[in-house]
Amino acid sequence: MKTNRSWIYGLLAIFLSLILFFYASTSQYQTQARTSGDIATETYTNTIKGVPLVLRYDSEKYFVSGFASEVNIDLSSSNRVLLSTETQESSRTFRVVLDLTKESPGLVEVPVTVEHLTSGVTAKVDPATISGTIGLKKSKTFKIDLASFLSQLPNGADVQLADGDREVTVTTNEDLLNQIAAVRMVLPDDWGTTKNYNGEVSLQALDVSGEVVPSVIEPETIAIRIQLKTEEKK
């Protein structure tokens, strides 16, 4: 009788041992699977601010204005090396594009796209869309408004332009060109009103309200000489 019981106990022990073995093996496999899954799906992200925006359009036919020149972009990848490569300006392969080639003249809102991004890296652009104006390109010649510039200077100041009375060519779209009332010189930031000046000044196209009209001016700057009046000694 004791022999039978010993035999039964032995079988139970073996059975329990097998159950524990399979349970331990299954638990270890599930743990390894979860760990492998976590590693495979771990994602790294980098944010790049001020990425240049490439505007694609027919620059011979159209003049565009109002579009942002830079965007921010979030790059994500499970591969740190790829992510680092695309983050660095010197090694990145992608570019951010605003394709206007299929748009008609007028106010438009266009989605921003990312081209040539390395496989394994995803991108999210902020803002996702950008608005601006497309217009037919037109140019016109204007004389520089010297009188308005003199009004900003101390009484008695003398201004001499490099080539006497200068004219410049302003390029913009049709609608904006009709809004231009004058082309004026801009006082240099580093110039004080108590000293003479001999150098370059930039130019701006303005409307009747004195607001800057988006345009390209050729030449962009002009050489001038500002001679202040010298008080005679008593």
Side-chain angles (χ1 to χ4, degrees):
M1 190 70 175
K2 291 182 178 180
T3 303
N4 289 337
R5 288 182 178 178
S6 298
W7 181 75
I8 292 173
Y9 290 152
L11 287 177
L12 287 173
I14 293 172
F15 180 71
L16 291 173
S17 297
L18 289 172
I19 291 176
L20 291 173
F21 171 77
F22 284 118
Y23 176 78
S25 298
T26 302
S27 298
Q28 183 178 8
Y29 172 78
Q30 291 176 342
T31 301
Q32 291 176 343
R34 284 196 300 268
T35 303
S36 299
D38 291 342
I39 294 175
T41 58
E42 186 172 5
T43 302
Y44 307 99
T45 301
N46 276 340
T47 299
I48 312 174
K49 295 183 179 295
V51 179
L53 181 64
V54 178
L55 298 181
R56 184 175 292 155
Y57 67 102
D58 184 352
S59 60
E60 295 295 322
K61 184 177 181 180
Y62 298 107
F63 183 91
V64 299
S65 59
F67 294 98
S69 60
E70 296 179 340
V71 295
N72 299 328
I73 185 168
D74 293 328
L75 298 180
S76 302
S77 178
S78 58
N79 187 317
R80 278 184 170 176
V81 175
L82 290 180
L83 185 63
S84 177
T85 299
E86 290 289 19
T87 300
Q88 301 299 320
E89 185 177 1
S90 59
S91 58
R92 70 179 56 146
T93 62
F94 74 87
R95 61 181 177 181
V96 186
V97 177
L98 197 66
D99 191 351
L100 307 176
T101 55
K102 296 181 181 179
E103 302 297 327
S104 300
L107 180 63
V108 298
E109 185 173 2
V110 184
V112 181
T113 59
V114 180
E115 296 182 349
H116 309 303
L117 186 63
T118 298
S119 178
V121 180
T122 59
K124 182 180 179 181
V125 181
D126 180 32
T129 61
I130 294 179
S131 59
T133 302
I134 303 173
L136 292 175
K137 190 174 185 179
K138 294 292 181 179
S139 298
K140 184 178 178 180
T141 300
F142 289 85
K143 281 190 174 183
I144 296 173
D145 185 358
L146 183 59
S148 64
F149 185 73
L150 284 170
S151 67
Q152 304 175 64
L153 304 179
N155 291 333
D158 178 60
V159 176
Q160 295 179 356
L161 303 183
D163 300 323
D165 294 333
R166 288 291 300 268
E167 291 185 339
V168 295
T169 300
V170 181
T171 301
T172 183
N173 68 48
E174 282 183 313
D175 292 336
L176 292 176
L177 192 64
N178 293 329
Q179 297 176 25
I180 297 176
V183 174
R184 300 177 184 173
M185 297 181 289
V186 181
L187 287 168
D189 293 334
D190 60 349
W191 178 71
T193 57
T194 59
K195 61 181 180 181
N196 297 330
Y197 180 80
N198 189 9
E200 299 281 327
V201 294
S202 58
L203 302 171
Q204 289 180 335
L206 306 177
D207 62 18
V208 291
S209 300
E211 297 295 326
V212 177
V213 178
S215 60
V216 174
I217 302 176
E218 180 61 36
E220 296 179 352
T221 62
I222 187 170
I224 68 167
R225 181 179 179 181
I226 302 174
Q227 186 73 37
L228 300 182
K229 181 179 180 181
T230 303
E231 296 290 341
E232 295 181 0
K233 292 183 179 181
K234 295 182 180 180

